[in-house]
Amino acid sequence: EALAQSLKNRADYVSDEYQARNASHNLSLQRSRFYPRFHLDGTYARDSRHNPLGAEGDGWVGGISFRWDIFDKTLFDDISKARFEEMKSKEYLAQRKREIAFQINESYRRVDEAKRRLDVAIEAVAQAEESFRLIKLRYENNLSTMVEMLDAEVALVQAKSNAIIFQSEGYEAVG
């Protein structure tokens, strides 16, 4: 669903799609050059020696012509070139579609990774808070030193800082 929506909204893919369609039309146009051509011509004329718009004489001329270029080597070359251009544009279109699918997959994975990192950071904050609480109780009962309590507080602040950083990375991954 995300791929279909992206393909519909991406200007580069739509442009490649139009180029592929144009190449297909060009191939059918080149193939149509093999068809015979008929031309029908007709003319009516009025003549006068004395009066420019007079009608002393009039005449009809009509003709039909038929042309069929079946031995023209350039037709085959043009069709081969058009077929190659069609294949090339369709391959570009398929490559663009694979590239967009890869980008979508990469974006989903990046969001999932950011979510998991945030979950780990939240768990680390909870553990650091519990550790700080226990060391603070030990310090208040003179069972721990000031340095241990300060180390626990630094670990708590670092864990909260990491949680904030991972949360902002999560927002960035979502876009």
Side-chain angles (χ1 to χ4, degrees):
E1 182 180 325
L3 180 62
Q5 186 70 21
S6 293
L7 294 179
K8 188 174 129 183
N9 293 332
R10 294 270 304 249
D12 52 352
Y13 182 79
V14 172
S15 173
D16 287 346
E17 201 172 33
Y18 280 123
Q19 286 178 354
R21 198 174 305 144
N22 189 23
S24 296
H25 290 310
N26 185 32
L27 179 60
S28 64
L29 180 67
Q30 293 300 327
R31 286 184 178 150
S32 72
R33 291 177 57 195
F34 274 113
Y35 300 147
R37 292 184 212 141
F38 293 96
H39 298 281
L40 177 64
D41 294 324
T43 305
Y44 172 73
R46 297 176 72 180
D47 296 331
S48 175
R49 287 187 216 151
H50 305 297
N51 187 359
L53 300 176
E56 288 181 7
D58 61 353
W60 290 87
V61 175
I64 298 175
S65 65
F66 173 77
R67 182 176 177 172
W68 197 0
D69 298 327
I70 56 175
F71 298 111
D72 189 1
K73 172 77 168 100
T74 61
L75 291 177
F76 295 103
D77 294 339
D78 290 343
I79 287 178
S80 295
K81 182 178 177 184
R83 188 176 299 123
F84 172 75
E85 289 295 326
E86 180 188 32
M87 288 178 2
K88 183 174 86 169
S89 64
K90 285 184 178 180
E91 186 57 37
Y92 279 149
L93 185 65
Q95 174 61 29
R96 181 76 67 180
K97 187 175 182 177
R98 287 190 298 267
E99 180 182 323
I100 291 170
F102 176 76
Q103 289 173 352
I104 290 171
N105 190 13
E106 183 181 29
S107 296
Y108 277 128
R109 291 185 188 277
R110 198 176 306 125
V111 168
D112 187 49
E113 177 190 0
K115 182 182 174 195
R116 289 178 187 209
R117 289 175 78 182
L118 181 60
D119 291 343
V120 168
I122 290 171
E123 183 65 30
V125 168
Q127 289 177 0
E129 285 175 343
E130 181 63 19
S131 175
F132 177 70
R133 186 184 70 80
L134 292 175
I135 291 177
K136 185 176 177 186
L137 282 174
R138 287 177 61 194
Y139 176 74
E140 289 172 353
N141 292 326
N142 291 328
L143 298 173
S144 180
T145 65
M146 172 70 86
V147 173
E148 289 176 346
M149 189 179 84
L150 290 176
D151 286 343
E153 189 174 6
V154 167
L156 176 62
V157 169
Q158 184 65 41
K160 287 181 178 180
S161 173
N162 286 342
I164 291 170
I165 290 171
F166 293 147
Q167 185 177 20
S168 68
E169 286 178 1
Y171 291 144
E172 184 180 322
V174 171

